[in-house]
Amino acid sequence: MKKILFVLFAFISTTAFSQTKLIEKVPQVEGKIVIPYEKYELDNGLTLIIHEDHSDPVVHVDVTYHVGSAREELNKSGFAHFFEHMMFQGSENVADEEHFKLVTESGGRLNGTTNRDRTNYFETVPSNQLDRMLWLEADRMGFLLPAVTQEKFEVQRATVKNEKGQNYNNRPYGLFREVNAASLYPYGHPYSWLTIGKLEDLDRVDVTDLKKFFLRWYGPNNATLTVGGDVDPEEVIKKVEKYFGSIPSGPEVDPMALKPVTIDEDRYVSYVDSNIRFPLLLFTYPTVPRFHEDEAALDCLSEILGAGKSSYFYKKFVLTQKAIQASTFHPTSELAGEFTMFTLPFPGQKLADFENEVREILKDFEENGVTDADIEKFKANYESNTINGLASVSGKVSQLASYETFRNDPNYIQKDLDRYLAVTKEDVIRVFNKYIKGKPAVIQSVLPNDQVEPAAPDNYEPKTEGENPFPTTDYSGLSYNRPDDGKYDRSKKPVPGQSPLVKVPTIWNEKWSNGMKIIGTESNEIPTVAIQLTLNGGHQLDANDPTKSGLASLTASMMNEGTTSLSSEEFQEELRKIGSSVSFYAGQNSTVLSINTLVKNLDRTLELAEDALMNPRFDSADFARNQKQTIEGIKSNETDPSSIASFVYDKLIYGDNHIFSVPSSGLAETVENITLDDVKSFYKKYYSPKVGELVVVGDVSKEDILPKLSFLKSWTGPDVKMPSLTFEADTDKTKIYLVDKKDAAQSQIRIGYLTDMTYDPTGETYKAYLMNYNLGGAFNSRINLKLREEKGWTYGARSYFETGENPGPFTASAGVKADATDSSVYEFMTVITDYRENGVTPAEVDFMKKSIGQQDALNYETPRQKAGFLRRIVHYDLDEDYVKEQMKILNKITKKELDQIAKDRLKTDQMVIVVVGDEASNIEGLRKLGYEIVKLNAKGEPVEGESMESGK
């Protein structure tokens, strides 16, 4: 695309924008994928990119620093990720915990992420809040260090440790990436440790080390500020100059340049993970960095080998029922890439055999080569994913920021797509020969216990000490240079402008004589269409025969296995040729057919969807495979602490004999009872338009889409009678139910009871949601602030009411560090009890009203959000303007009313408290809390003779 270029050093309007120079403007171009933008640079080196888009009254602000874990060094890992946490802990003019509070009460969403090569912070807010977001981001860029204290450092160090425990140590297969990175990359290479870092490194550093890291890498000259959405570029420039212009530049940052990684022989490594059922076999080859000329062809090779039902890995391992999962992927970063192939074999097989079969796959590929269809499917899917990534202003801003950071070219999206659309069969064969064929790899085995043998004895142990062979950074001579704002008083928070007018989607409705309800809205920001057909029933229909629980879910799985004219593989390949998806899944109360496509492929996609719905294949071999995968998946969950906690909690909440005490997927013994005839019968009896609700969102009008859906209008089906379910909470008093998970790095906690509320968006449900917001519904709620920010015991804690057409529970939950298990239960119950007894504060009422009252601007932006909104209207038969009634309730509700709801709804004397953790180290502390303790196994069954009363 031809860019409109401007002289780099020509100043714009020396009076208004004296610090800012225009780099380029890129407009929309017909027939091309372009994100229009204006690019500027401030005197201090800050790059500013502005994307103007008035389709929704929202703005997205992203600050990307070109620093990630790759800028860390031996014995000092985890700094970049640590700073992601510290940047939310206040700055000179923003109080502790105030960053989340200010964004949330503005009706916005926020977060930060860190990877190997960059750290970004972002907010999506109503467009009248732009001033405040820029002020917040500038304050932590220029005024963070005066607010960094040893106390904050210690709390966030504990929080990061809990994140490591929850997402790595306590999660199934959670450590494989850490072992893999250390085995693939040389000692001292910045990719040889994970972004989260090593705990021993976090223990040895202090707050001074952290401050030096910030001073070196977080200057405006190493950052890109991208602002997109409902904005005026001239106004954005003025505001950015005001808030960021006085922040001094940091030290110069040179690009990293490291030699490509090579290994000279296969490296066999293994470890034991007690949280898994299936062993893991992983091959990892070193490849190329992101944007390398061979990246696209390697991605294509990865897809041919391991993506979809026609892939080599699926046919060799999954189709033959040797493995529950097998695939390949090719992630790339700024300095290197990794081509990874993996299998999750069913228990009882030898990993050595799987290693041989993986090698056979590579030989088969070499002999068979690449087909035109392989290339066609790869390109179609890449184009579809690229377009769908532009559904939101945040998606567009993220693309601009990423391309600027790593290519110095925000306008790279079409070029990126072009390089993928240019891949040839010859390219794929060339990169296979260059990077994979006959090349050594890291071959990693993850074992469920020490009785299972790895693919081969370990022959490699990553180096852990010695001189650093890689360049280091000089952190001497760095000092904090406080920005000079002159007469500008940065301590005064910007006052938001008038709230924008929120555009609720324009809705059209239909109801057909066969009983189906239809609702839709036209959305033409991207050329896509999303259709969702909901068939009410789902798992609750399993109540008709609880001995076959999981039948609804298994039937939905079988609906994905082709048609009477197309095999499972053929059906998926037809979809992959056009980059579309047609999929069925079942939940607690419904079965859903989800259809997503580019507009140009709508007709063909609907032909395939009709075939799948009307003519399911129901092949016996497909059934046997799906049934086995389901059973093994259920058994696998019995080793995962989080899954165990949720399962046991539901069983206690609903009661042993209730259908919702069983997961939607069923139990191993109930799924074993299901036959293919049961699946056919379920389809015949319960797949009916009379319980159907259809939602259409996309770049298509009502007049255009309805004729294309005639197959649904002419569909006939039986009446469906829902089983009668009873919901009665029978907890006589609060008890602790303890499930022993030996040596668990964390404990999983669930606390709650079964309410009598069903979903009512303008009644009790909504008011209970408002009451809970300050207790556990927001990041800076009492529960999360206590357990995460004050105590440092968890990565996150929350509470919520879960309601639908059936009553659901009030639940508080968290994963906490093992040695704080009893203390966490105590704090949970103390906070909930205090909230119940003493109520909400006036400041909390004000915060809740501001936050929820301004969220509406963000609720209808993407096709997915619009579909969710329409789904609620059609399913619960709501007025189209029910959100206006919610606003009236929100504005009128008082502290007194909220306090009464807390007293009524927080039944602290009738709570189920589930703890899954190491019994030996936790039992004494739990006894001291004064509750009766009932010991259960992972299936929620009592451990004989183990109930006990506890003394205080």
Side-chain angles (χ1 to χ4, degrees):
M1 192 199 84
K2 184 179 179 181
K3 295 182 185 178
I4 302 174
L5 296 177
F6 292 78
V7 180
L8 292 184
F9 299 103
F11 285 98
I12 313 169
S13 175
T14 57
T15 55
F17 314 138
S18 59
Q19 296 174 325
T20 306
K21 53 198 175 190
L22 175 63
I23 306 299
E24 62 182 1
K25 285 188 179 181
V26 173
Q28 188 69 58
V29 176
E30 189 70 29
K32 293 286 187 180
I33 299 177
V34 178
I35 308 171
Y37 67 90
E38 300 176 15
K39 177 180 173 181
Y40 300 88
E41 185 177 302
L42 274 65
D43 278 355
N44 58 12
L46 177 67
T47 298
L48 169 64
I49 299 171
I50 306 170
H51 165 64
E52 187 176 1
D53 177 359
H54 300 290
S55 57
D56 293 282
V58 300
V59 61
H60 186 81
V61 176
D62 177 290
V63 179
T64 297
Y65 296 91
H66 198 165
V67 56
S69 57
R71 293 293 187 176
E72 298 161 359
E73 299 172 11
L74 272 176
N75 304 320
K76 293 183 178 180
S77 65
F79 277 27
H81 174 259
F82 204 135
F83 252 105
E84 181 200 318
H85 284 252
M86 291 301 297
M87 294 275 263
F88 289 104
Q89 299 309 305
S91 46
E92 184 173 306
N93 301 293
V94 181
D96 298 358
E97 315 305 338
E98 194 177 21
H99 200 110
F100 266 95
K101 180 178 183 295
L102 288 173
V103 177
T104 306
E105 77 174 9
S106 299
R109 296 188 289 265
L110 72 161
N111 212 333
T113 67
T114 311
N115 65 26
R116 289 166 163 176
D117 308 308
R118 64 100 186 102
T119 304
N120 69 339
Y121 303 90
F122 48 89
E123 301 88 17
T124 308
V125 292
S127 52
N128 66 315
Q129 301 287 343
L130 175 61
D131 250 316
R132 183 168 285 188
M133 297 309 106
L134 294 174
W135 171 77
L136 281 168
E137 288 294 353
D139 210 63
R140 61 180 170 189
M141 179 185 285
F143 299 85
L144 178 80
L145 292 188
V148 174
T149 65
Q150 187 68 34
E151 181 181 5
K152 289 182 184 179
F153 173 83
E154 294 298 344
V155 170
Q156 291 310 309
R157 172 154 56 185
T159 300
V160 172
K161 288 182 177 181
N162 284 310
E163 182 180 355
K164 181 76 180 287
Q166 180 173 317
N167 292 340
Y168 297 84
N169 302 58
N170 216 41
R171 177 171 289 180
Y173 310 101
L175 294 176
F176 91 85
R177 290 178 58 241
E178 186 170 76
V179 174
N180 192 262
S183 302
L184 180 66
Y185 292 99
Y187 174 70
H189 191 288
Y191 287 179
S192 66
W193 52 81
L194 301 188
T195 301
I196 198 165
K198 299 179 180 179
L199 294 185
E200 57 268 28
D201 289 352
L202 292 176
D203 283 334
R204 69 166 59 95
V205 301
D206 60 27
V207 71
T208 302
D209 294 317
L210 206 66
K211 288 181 177 181
K212 289 180 179 178
F213 191 81
F214 179 86
L215 289 169
R216 181 63 186 86
W217 303 113
Y218 291 80
N221 52 307
N222 196 34
T224 297
L225 168 62
T226 310
V227 179
D230 186 21
V231 298
D232 176 350
E234 279 197 11
E235 290 300 314
V236 172
I237 295 169
K238 291 178 184 177
K239 297 176 192 297
V240 170
E241 282 202 347
K242 175 181 179 181
Y243 297 122
F244 290 87
S246 65
I247 301 174
S249 296
E252 287 297 314
V253 177
D254 295 323
M256 293 192 73
L258 297 179
K259 294 180 180 179
V261 171
T262 59
I263 56 178
D264 53 4
E265 64 177 356
D266 286 331
R267 296 175 177 178
Y268 290 91
V269 294
S270 67
Y271 74 94
V272 174
D273 183 345
S274 62
N275 290 324
I276 65 174
R277 173 174 173 78
F278 310 110
L280 168 68
L281 181 65
L282 200 75
F283 280 63
T284 304
Y285 299 85
T287 62
V288 299
R290 187 183 178 195
F291 301 116
H292 187 280
E293 61 182 7
D294 290 339
E295 179 192 17
L298 282 162
D299 286 350
C300 184
L301 172 64
S302 172
E303 191 168 292
I304 294 169
L305 289 177
K309 293 182 178 179
S310 67
S311 70
Y312 287 84
F313 272 69
Y314 184 87
K315 289 181 175 180
K316 173 75 78 171
F317 298 118
V318 180
L319 192 62
T320 58
Q321 299 187 42
K322 293 179 180 178
I324 192 169
Q325 192 177 350
S327 187
T328 63
F329 47 93
H330 181 236
T332 55
S333 302
E334 189 174 18
L335 302 177
E338 300 148 16
F339 194 96
T340 299
M341 311 182 296
F342 80 93
T343 61
L344 288 172
F346 287 120
Q349 302 173 88
K350 293 182 178 179
L351 288 183
D353 294 338
F354 279 79
E355 180 190 350
N356 292 332
E357 293 197 70
V358 169
R359 297 188 185 281
E360 287 177 11
I361 285 175
L362 299 181
K363 292 179 181 177
D364 291 343
F365 171 79
E366 184 180 10
E367 292 176 4
N368 298 335
V370 182
T371 67
D372 290 333
D374 290 332
I375 300 296
E376 179 186 7
K377 290 179 293 185
F378 172 72
K379 293 179 179 180
N381 278 280
Y382 194 87
E383 180 186 30
S384 177
N385 291 337
T386 298
I387 292 172
N388 277 287
L390 305 179
S392 66
V393 66
S394 64
K396 288 178 276 192
V397 165
S398 296
Q399 287 282 32
L400 291 169
S402 179
Y403 286 138
E404 170 61 26
T405 300
F406 296 114
R407 298 298 296 175
N408 194 31
D409 181 5
N411 189 38
Y412 196 73
I413 189 167
Q414 183 67 55
K415 300 171 193 172
D416 208 4
L417 177 59
D418 287 344
R419 71 191 180 105
Y420 277 81
L421 297 182
V423 169
T424 65
K425 294 186 289 186
E426 291 74 20
D427 289 332
V428 177
I429 295 299
R430 176 178 54 79
V431 297
F432 170 75
N433 290 329
K434 185 175 182 180
Y435 301 102
I436 309 300
K437 178 186 174 183
K439 301 298 186 291
V442 171
I443 303 171
Q444 183 177 356
S445 303
V446 184
L447 313 172
N449 57 65
D450 55 13
Q451 302 303 308
V452 177
E453 293 183 354
D458 290 3
N459 70 349
Y460 183 80
E461 185 173 342
K463 187 177 178 181
T464 58
E465 57 184 24
E467 292 295 320
N468 186 2
F470 287 86
T472 58
T473 300
D474 182 6
Y475 287 96
S476 64
L478 297 172
S479 61
Y480 174 58
N481 185 7
R482 191 180 187 282
D484 181 7
D485 286 317
K487 295 181 180 180
Y488 168 49
D489 185 359
R490 197 176 287 263
S491 67
K492 294 182 179 179
K493 298 181 181 66
V495 178
Q498 185 175 356
S499 295
L501 181 65
V502 178
K503 303 174 187 176
V504 177
T506 302
I507 297 168
W508 55 262
N509 292 277
E510 283 280 310
K511 185 170 182 180
W512 290 330
S513 59
N514 61 2
M516 187 176 295
K517 303 173 185 176
I518 307 96
I519 189 169
T521 188
E522 190 170 351
S523 176
N524 55 16
E525 291 179 42
I526 57 174
T528 64
V529 178
I531 300 173
Q532 187 181 90
L533 171 60
T534 299
L535 303 176
N536 292 307
H539 178 48
Q540 66 179 332
L541 291 169
D542 290 343
N544 290 322
D545 185 357
T547 65
K548 296 183 178 181
S549 291
L551 177 55
S553 180
L554 189 55
T555 302
S557 295
M558 288 299 296
M559 295 295 292
N560 293 312
E561 296 290 349
T563 71
T564 52
S565 60
L566 294 170
S567 70
S568 179
E569 177 189 335
E570 290 168 339
F571 182 79
Q572 189 187 76
E573 294 312 292
E574 288 298 307
L575 287 168
R576 287 169 60 80
K577 287 177 184 177
I578 53 177
S580 299
S581 66
V582 173
S583 62
F584 293 81
Y585 58 90
Q588 193 175 71
N589 300 112
S590 64
T591 295
V592 176
L593 165 59
S594 178
I595 303 166
N596 293 278
T597 180
L598 298 180
V599 171
K600 66 180 181 180
N601 298 320
L602 177 59
D603 290 346
R604 177 56 179 153
T605 303
L606 289 178
E607 287 176 6
L608 291 166
E610 177 183 2
D611 199 18
L613 179 62
M614 302 302 179
N615 307 301
R617 190 174 186 85
F618 292 151
D619 179 79
S620 58
D622 291 334
F623 172 77
R625 172 171 40 80
N626 275 273
Q627 184 182 42
K628 182 176 180 179
Q629 288 176 331
T630 301
I631 292 170
E632 290 293 340
I634 292 167
K635 292 180 178 178
S636 177
N637 285 339
E638 294 173 5
T639 65
D640 176 17
S642 181
S643 296
I644 293 169
S646 297
F647 171 73
V648 172
Y649 178 72
D650 284 347
K651 192 169 183 180
L652 293 166
I653 287 291
Y654 291 105
D656 285 346
N657 298 318
H658 199 285
I659 194 62
F660 291 165
S661 72
V662 177
S664 297
S665 57
L667 304 173
E669 56 268 29
T670 62
V671 177
E672 287 172 351
N673 293 334
I674 298 172
T675 67
L676 182 56
D677 285 339
D678 293 325
V679 168
K680 293 177 180 178
S681 175
F682 190 95
Y683 168 77
K684 186 176 181 180
K685 288 162 57 176
Y686 301 128
Y687 278 53
S688 171
K690 295 184 179 179
V691 290
E693 297 162 355
L694 188 67
V695 175
V696 180
V697 177
D699 190 12
V700 63
S701 68
K702 175 184 177 181
E703 293 71 27
D704 287 339
I705 190 62
L706 286 182
K708 299 177 187 295
L709 298 172
S710 59
F711 69 95
L712 292 174
K713 187 174 184 179
S714 60
W715 183 24
T716 59
D719 291 329
V720 177
K721 183 179 180 181
M722 298 296 167
S724 178
L725 304 178
T726 58
F727 295 84
E728 296 180 0
D730 61 356
T731 306
D732 58 345
K733 64 178 181 179
T734 298
K735 299 178 185 177
I736 293 175
Y737 296 86
L738 177 61
V739 180
D740 186 18
K741 181 65 176 174
K742 294 188 184 301
D743 301 322
Q746 276 200 325
S747 295
Q748 286 289 332
I749 298 173
R750 306 286 185 273
I751 301 173
Y753 75 100
L754 181 63
T755 76
D756 58 0
M757 290 190 299
T758 56
Y759 180 72
D760 181 359
T762 56
E764 276 192 283
T765 305
Y766 184 64
K767 292 178 180 179
Y769 160 71
L770 300 180
M771 179 276 294
N772 178 68
Y773 196 73
N774 285 295
L775 174 62
F779 178 88
N780 51 315
S781 64
R782 291 192 191 183
I783 287 174
N784 195 54
L785 289 183
K786 174 64 72 173
L787 270 72
R788 172 177 163 142
E789 299 302 307
E790 180 182 328
K791 300 294 186 181
W793 292 338
T794 182
Y795 184 47
R798 63 185 183 131
S799 63
Y800 54 94
F801 288 92
E802 183 179 359
T803 60
E805 52 263 55
N806 298 306
F810 164 79
T811 304
S813 66
V816 302
K817 68 176 186 175
D819 62 3
T821 301
D822 59 318
S823 300
S824 297
V825 172
Y826 172 81
E827 293 294 353
F828 256 123
M829 294 304 295
T830 298
V831 170
I832 295 171
T833 300
D834 177 68
Y835 199 80
R836 180 183 187 274
E837 297 302 321
N838 299 312
V840 65
T841 68
E844 287 174 326
V845 175
D846 182 61
F847 166 75
M848 180 269 292
K849 288 189 174 187
K850 287 180 179 177
S851 175
I852 296 175
Q854 299 182 86
Q855 286 177 359
D856 223 28
L858 277 64
N859 287 343
Y860 316 108
E861 183 190 8
T862 68
R864 180 183 294 241
Q865 289 174 306
K866 290 181 173 76
F869 174 65
L870 300 189
R871 162 78 176 128
R872 285 190 296 276
I873 290 175
V874 71
H875 183 65
Y876 293 106
D877 194 24
L878 305 175
D879 291 334
E880 293 180 8
D881 61 353
Y882 78 91
V883 291
K884 293 181 180 178
E885 184 63 28
Q886 287 184 331
M887 291 302 293
K888 292 178 183 178
I889 294 170
L890 175 67
N891 291 330
K892 289 181 179 179
I893 202 163
T894 64
K895 168 179 162 53
K896 182 178 179 180
E897 192 173 356
L898 291 167
D899 290 350
Q900 188 59 52
I901 295 169
K903 288 185 182 296
D904 294 341
R905 291 294 172 189
L906 300 176
K907 300 184 178 181
T908 51
D909 58 343
Q910 298 176 39
M911 296 283 191
V912 166
I913 303 174
V914 174
V915 177
V916 179
D918 181 59
E919 178 186 321
S921 58
N922 289 317
I923 188 66
E924 289 305 317
L926 291 172
R927 281 182 177 139
K928 294 177 182 178
L929 298 180
Y931 302 107
E932 179 183 350
I933 298 177
V934 180
K935 295 184 183 180
L936 304 176
N937 61 23
K939 294 184 177 182
E941 301 163 338
V943 177
E944 195 67 30
E946 291 291 356
S947 177
M948 66 192 75
E949 293 286 347
S950 300
K952 293 192 177 184

